[in-house]
């Protein structure tokens, strides 16, 4: 129930709707919706469907948590798939959402300065794989130290940074525009 109540609050806020408005659209009392968002109660299937319709979301979105704001995959971790006839493995780091555009960059950086980036356009997501050296990368308030082979994905529409921690640091950056 706690996950469901958190999802209801999250989706109502995402839609920028008041408790009263969602309750009205779902034909529920405001107090019932408030109780559900507080983790009190046991909503019926019909109530949940009505809330999903009022919020304009698919039913499964109440049960499927949103992906983390920042995701890190360390070198050597993750599920790799090997080829049958060659010494070759692939590790899927991220899929491309429908309708997205991606730009790919090679980044070369040296210690001693920080590349601070202002927010890009809304919805931009950045993917970075450090190829050599070490760097602090990610959302400005919570950058992550990465080494060779480490991967990070974070929202590019908030302030973010890249700071080389070793000479000869380089990375591949992909900016995804959705």
């Amino acid at each position: 129930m706690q996950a469901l109540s958190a999802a209801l609050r999250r989706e109502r806020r995402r839609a920028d709707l008041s408790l009263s408005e969602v309750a009205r659209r779902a034909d529920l009392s405001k107090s019932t919706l408030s109780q559900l968002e507080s983790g009190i109660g046991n909503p019926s299937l019909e109530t949940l469907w009505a809330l999903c319709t009022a919020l304009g979301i698919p039913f499964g979105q109440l049960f499927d948590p949103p992906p983390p704001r920042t995701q890190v995959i360390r070198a050597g971790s993750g599920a790799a798939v090997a080829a049958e006839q060659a010494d070759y493995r692939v590790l899927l780091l991220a899929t491309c959402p429908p309708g997205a555009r991606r730009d790919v960059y090679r980044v070369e950086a040296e210690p001693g300065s920080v590349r601070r980036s202002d927010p890009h356009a809304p919805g931009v997501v950045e993917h970075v794989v450090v190829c050599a050296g070490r760097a602090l990368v990610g959302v400005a308030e919570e950058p992550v130290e990465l080494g060779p082979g480490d991967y990070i994905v974070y929202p590019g529409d908030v302030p973010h940074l890249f700071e080389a921690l070793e000479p000869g640091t380089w990375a591949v950056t992909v900016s995804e525009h959705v």
Side-chain angles (χ1 to χ4, degrees):
M1 187 59 205
Q2 292 306 316
L4 179 60
S5 65
L8 285 169
R9 277 192 312 278
R10 177 190 72 232
E11 294 304 325
R12 181 178 58 78
R13 289 176 181 149
R14 181 200 53 77
D16 196 28
L17 296 171
S18 67
L19 274 170
S20 298
E21 181 59 20
V22 173
R24 184 190 68 74
R25 290 181 183 188
D27 197 26
L28 297 173
S29 71
K30 182 179 171 182
S31 63
T32 298
L33 179 55
S34 178
Q35 288 177 340
L36 291 175
E37 283 194 6
S38 297
I40 301 168
N42 187 18
S44 68
L45 178 63
E46 292 78 10
T47 297
L48 293 177
W49 274 109
L51 286 167
C52 288
T53 301
L55 292 166
I57 61 170
F59 187 78
Q61 198 159 328
L62 290 179
F63 301 95
D64 188 19
R69 181 172 136 158
T70 300
Q71 177 186 4
V72 176
I73 299 174
R74 297 288 180 192
S77 65
V81 179
E84 253 183 69
Q85 299 175 0
D87 188 6
Y88 184 91
R89 297 180 324 133
V90 296
L91 173 64
L92 179 63
L93 299 176
T95 59
C96 188
R101 188 187 92 222
R102 288 187 171 166
D103 300 326
V104 181
Y105 303 91
R106 178 183 166 127
V107 174
E108 298 172 353
E110 296 297 327
S113 63
V114 179
R115 169 64 175 127
R116 295 187 186 281
S117 296
D118 290 329
H120 301 309
V124 170
V125 175
E126 292 202 348
H127 304 258
V128 178
V129 178
V130 172
C131 299
R134 288 182 315 108
L136 279 176
V137 184
V139 174
E141 309 91 54
E142 50 192 38
V144 178
E145 185 175 328
L146 303 176
D150 289 344
Y151 163 82
I152 187 171
V153 59
Y154 55 88
D157 56 3
V158 299
H160 52 283
L161 62 82
F162 188 103
E163 178 183 3
L165 301 175
E166 289 182 3
T169 296
W170 71 276
V172 173
T173 298
V174 178
S175 289
E176 178 179 274
H177 306 262
V178 289

